[in-house]
Amino acid sequence: MSAAVDTSSARTVESTERRPARLAELFLLILALTAGIAAFAMVGRSVTGSLPTEFWPVSILFVAVALAAHVVLRVRAPWADQVILPAVVLLNGLGLAMILRLELAGMKGANAWAQMMYTALGAVIAILIVWFLRDHRWMRRLTYTAMLVGLVLVVLPLVPGIGREINGARIWINIGFSVQPAEFAKIAFAIFFAGYLVANRDTLALAGKKVLGLQLPRIRDLGPIIIVWAASLGVLVFERDLGTSLLFFGLFVAMLYLATERFSWVLIGLVLFAAGAVLATSMFSHVAARMDVWLHPFDADLYASGSSYQIVQGTFAMAAGGLFGTGWGEGYPYKVPYAFSDFIYSSLGEELGLTGLLAILMAYLLIVQRGLRTAVAVRDGFGKLLAGGLAFVMALQLFVVVGGITRIIPLTGLTLPFMAQGGSSLLANWIVIALLLRISDNARRPSALPMRGTVSQGGAMHDPIVVGAFDDARSGTGTPAAGTPVRRSASDAPSRGSTPADATQTIDPYRDTRGGEQQ
């Protein structure tokens, strides 16, 4: 006799995910804070023989800011990446220590307390973004608004009365205090590019003829890249800023490649930028002067006129550092002009040596790698492009700054993220980190609601209700969310008496095979 089946009973498939305690992040934060505060103390002991007067206020505020960010992430974004914030805190702390060291040496312009205030403000803005921005996909509504904001920010330094020219580059505005609008424009352009490309990626990827193995776009599809190319050349020519020009154009080409996976776009972008740079060098004297300093920094006339003095002194500073550096407070970084901002990398190289510089580069690469990993993991096209673009723009800015100081490329006016003194750079890069953390939380978070289904007599499963799967309606693409039940082929349809597991196949790419949370 068969056993009676209770048709009123129901079986529910519940999510077994638990909120991460973020203990790994807390442990790494303690290490990062220890490194930064120890650097503050060593700088004071080496230069003055005692702890500097700024030691306690800077240290306490620095610890408070870092722990506040950790607590907010634990409450509001518990699935966010646990490595990004400690890496940022480490870089920020070491940068503060170097600025404090230059301030104690009497270098004009170095101000560790002001840098700490900007750090706190940047962290507060990041905390507010993480707290109030629950879903990054909301920003897609701002696609063309972000484009307009970015263009206005780029043009502002050219406006008479508020634009300022410093060291030959017109990239600053004065609104009671100095601001570098390009730092914020890169975020606006990243949002615009992500929104534009996710809606047009199929056309850009598939349309056009194939020549010599390269998928060439149609002429009418070249419009956006031509506009961005012209805008970047305008920055190079009128604002005399090679770094910002390269940053904007490189961001767009990189995001084009992420969206289309067509190498032809990268090749076209490189050819266009190289042609524009050669043309600008031949037509404009200030661009040609930058090239001369890059190619011939040790020329006696250039050095005597002061054109190549900074780059040469920076080179000597890094050479003096050797493999392990002179130690905190033991070098002469203050002999390099703007050692606390544009050339803080050479200052760190002198006192921490090649080993210290490699450790700093590894911390930056960790942030970039985690950002790219977030782009791979997130389930919607807009988030993939935005996370990839933000990670790439940080990598490109790192390359432009370090490449300029080490003479791989001509020197630019950009600053090293989180380390160089400058409020605009700090605030903008904290915003970038907040967006990456929010996207990573959405990428790793389980479905918004657990999958529920009832099993009636005979084991047949009613249609489940799934909330949290996202499919890009505009582009027609998208990846199923973690925990989404996906029907296999018709031949695999469940027969009567099969179990719910036979009816659907659950896709959960964000869990490892052991069932633990993927780090």
Side-chain angles (χ1 to χ4, degrees), residues 87 91 356-368 398:
L91 294 171
L357 290 184
L358 291 178
I360 290 170
L361 289 178
M362 285 300 297
Y364 279 112
L365 292 179
L366 268 177
I367 298 173
V368 173
L398 177 66

Side-chain angles (χ1 to χ4, degrees), residues 46 142 157 159 347 376 510:
S46 298
L142 306 177
V159 176
S347 304
V376 171
Y510 310 107

Side-chain angles (χ1 to χ4, degrees), residues 393-428:
V393 79
M394 183 161 296
L396 184 58
Q397 185 165 347
L398 177 66
F399 169 75
V400 167
V401 174
V402 175
I405 293 173
T406 56
R407 291 186 53 233
I408 296 175
I409 62 174
L411 193 62
T412 67
L414 297 180
T415 54
L416 201 60
F418 303 112
M419 304 195 82
Q421 181 172 314
S424 302
S425 178
L426 261 180
L427 297 180

Side-chain angles (χ1 to χ4, degrees), residues 30-393:
I30 293 173
L31 294 181
L33 289 170
T34 301
I37 294 172
F40 301 160
M42 285 188 285
V43 163
R45 292 285 185 181
S46 298
V47 177
T48 65
S50 61
L51 292 178
T53 55
E54 296 97 333
F55 176 79
W56 288 113
V58 169
S59 299
I60 293 173
L61 184 56
F62 191 50
V63 172
V65 164
L67 294 181
H70 168 72
V71 170
V72 169
L73 286 175
R74 186 168 182 174
V75 172
R76 208 67 168 176
W79 281 272
D81 191 280
Q82 300 192 44
V83 176
I84 293 178
L85 180 61
V88 169
V89 170
L90 174 64
L91 294 171
N92 221 155
L94 295 179
L96 279 168
M98 178 50 67
I99 295 169
L100 178 61
R101 186 261 179 277
L102 293 168
E103 181 183 358
L104 293 177
M107 187 169 194
K108 185 179 179 180
N111 191 329
W113 181 247
Q115 181 76 349
M116 185 64 247
M117 289 293 98
Y118 280 118
T119 298
L121 180 59
V124 168
I125 293 174
I127 287 171
L128 293 176
I129 291 174
V130 172
W131 188 271
F132 289 106
L133 182 65
R134 300 305 304 272
D135 193 336
H136 63 273
R137 292 169 293 184
W138 174 84
M139 291 186 292
R140 185 173 174 180
R141 305 175 187 177
L142 306 177
T143 296
Y144 291 99
T145 302
M147 178 193 70
L148 293 175
V149 170
L151 291 175
V152 169
L153 289 173
V154 169
V155 172
L156 276 180
L158 300 177
V159 176
I162 62 172
R164 296 179 58 198
E165 181 174 326
I166 300 178
N167 299 327
R170 194 177 181 85
I171 58 176
W172 298 87
I173 61 173
N174 187 3
I175 51 177
F177 52 91
S178 295
V179 178
Q180 193 172 352
E183 292 286 351
F184 301 96
K186 68 184 181 185
I187 303 173
F189 282 139
I191 295 172
F192 163 65
F193 294 155
Y196 172 81
L197 292 173
V198 79
N200 297 277
R201 57 187 170 188
D202 290 341
T203 301
L204 295 171
L206 301 176
K209 297 181 180 180
K210 212 168 192 177
V211 178
L212 298 177
L214 292 177
Q215 185 83 31
L216 298 180
R218 298 175 300 184
I219 297 298
R220 62 177 177 269
D221 296 329
L222 282 172
I225 196 171
I226 295 295
I227 292 173
V228 175
W229 174 68
S232 65
L233 281 185
V235 170
L236 175 62
V237 171
F238 297 108
E239 298 185 7
R240 305 182 181 186
D241 184 17
L242 175 65
T244 301
S245 174
L246 180 60
L247 192 68
F248 290 162
F249 193 73
L251 171 64
F252 186 58
V253 172
M255 293 183 70
L256 261 177
Y257 178 75
L258 289 175
T260 64
E261 298 184 7
R262 296 295 183 187
F263 181 73
S264 56
W265 283 109
V266 178
L267 185 61
I268 292 170
L270 291 175
V271 170
L272 284 175
F273 189 82
V278 170
L279 184 64
T281 301
S282 61
M283 294 180 61
F284 302 99
S285 59
H286 62 271
V287 179
R290 279 287 181 97
M291 295 298 177
D292 287 340
V293 170
W294 172 45
L295 296 173
H296 312 289
F298 296 99
D299 181 89
D301 294 334
L302 290 175
Y303 185 81
S305 65
S307 300
S308 64
Y309 178 80
Q310 186 183 34
I311 186 68
V312 170
Q313 290 297 104
T315 302
F316 289 159
M318 289 188 290
L323 186 60
F324 297 108
T326 60
W328 284 112
E330 301 295 333
Y332 301 93
Y334 47 84
K335 292 188 175 181
V336 182
Y338 296 96
F340 54 88
S341 56
D342 292 3
F343 267 69
I344 196 169
Y345 189 75
S346 69
S347 304
L348 292 163
E350 180 173 0
E351 302 211 335
L352 301 182
L354 178 62
T355 305
L357 290 184
L358 291 178
I360 290 170
L361 289 178
M362 285 300 297
Y364 279 112
L365 292 179
L366 268 177
I367 298 173
V368 173
Q369 184 268 342
R370 290 288 170 156
L372 294 176
R373 184 173 179 176
T374 296
V376 171
V378 73
R379 295 175 282 246
D380 64 287
F382 176 77
K384 287 180 181 294
L385 289 176
L386 182 58
L390 293 175
F392 180 81
V393 79

